[in-house]
Amino acid sequence: FLDDHSPQAWTHLVDELLASPHYGERWGKHWLDAVRYADSSGYETDFYYKDAWRYRDYVVKSFNEDKPYDRFVQEQVAGDELWPDDLALDGTFLIPTEKLEHLEAHVGTGVYTLGPQVHESNMDGKKLNYESLTDAADLTGAVFMGITMGCARCHNHKFDPITQRDYYSLQ
């Protein structure tokens, strides 16, 4: 860059940086932090999510391909519902473009499976289900809506935008 004295030097540098696969890695990590991505569940038992890398790679690829933000959000919140088609293959390793696109949307919904878990809660199905729904609602509020909603789990506040009824409807 320093040796390029042409008027397009800055443009060439920006284009080079945007074309680098490291672009998605660098900016994707900010998104992964926001959605509390980890390869394991945390806490004392800290079990390993063996397929978590699929979601991480989905995020990096989305940034590198400059996926529109609205599509990126739709895929994570409801990709399996928006594109529920059969993703079965025809016996080859070739994946048709449309199926690959929809498979990526399904991988995007992995955002709701990678949160921290208290392993002891897994012994009580109702509690585990409630904690999973709570985590999904809190993640959706914080990451996609930019608000925290924890108070609404227990009570209404006079001026909060989310009521307790809204919170449990989201769950």
Side-chain angles (χ1 to χ4, degrees):
F1 171 73
L2 296 176
D3 293 334
D4 185 353
H5 300 290
S6 72
Q8 289 79 27
W10 182 251
T11 304
H12 291 152
L13 176 64
V14 170
D15 289 343
E16 181 182 331
L17 292 173
L18 289 175
S20 168
H22 300 301
Y23 171 81
E25 293 168 1
R26 179 166 178 84
W27 289 103
K29 72 181 179 181
H30 297 295
W31 183 262
L32 293 171
D33 284 345
V35 298
R36 85 300 181 234
Y37 171 84
D39 290 331
S40 65
S41 65
Y43 300 114
E44 289 83 16
T45 52
D46 199 27
F47 54 89
Y48 179 64
Y49 296 132
K50 68 182 182 74
D51 292 317
W53 64 271
R54 294 180 192 275
Y55 178 75
R56 181 202 62 219
D57 287 1
Y58 158 81
V59 170
V60 170
K61 185 174 187 269
S62 295
F63 274 89
N64 279 335
E65 293 178 352
D66 199 23
K67 184 177 286 187
Y69 182 70
D70 62 334
R71 172 72 184 232
F72 185 59
V73 170
Q74 288 174 353
E75 288 178 352
Q76 292 175 83
V77 173
D80 57 332
E81 296 293 326
L82 294 172
W83 301 283
D85 54 334
D86 179 15
L87 297 174
L89 302 179
D90 61 6
T92 69
F93 289 106
L94 301 175
I95 301 175
T97 305
E98 182 179 301
K99 284 192 177 190
L100 184 59
E101 181 181 358
H102 295 182
L103 176 62
E104 285 181 9
H106 284 240
V107 171
T109 60
V111 70
Y112 290 109
T113 65
L114 299 173
Q117 290 187 30
V118 178
H119 186 68
E120 291 75 19
S121 296
N122 293 346
M123 296 177 199
D124 181 348
K126 289 182 182 179
K127 183 176 181 186
L128 176 62
N129 187 50
Y130 175 73
E131 287 181 3
S132 296
L133 291 172
T134 299
D135 183 61
D138 291 348
L139 172 75
T140 301
V143 174
F144 298 112
M145 298 163 57
I147 58 174
T148 57
M149 304 185 304
C151 288
R153 286 176 60 193
C154 302
H155 56 268
N156 291 324
H157 284 175
K158 189 173 184 177
F159 298 108
D160 276 349
I162 302 292
T163 65
Q164 193 173 23
R165 178 182 300 270
D166 292 339
Y167 181 84
Y168 286 101
S169 294
L170 179 61
Q171 269 197 354

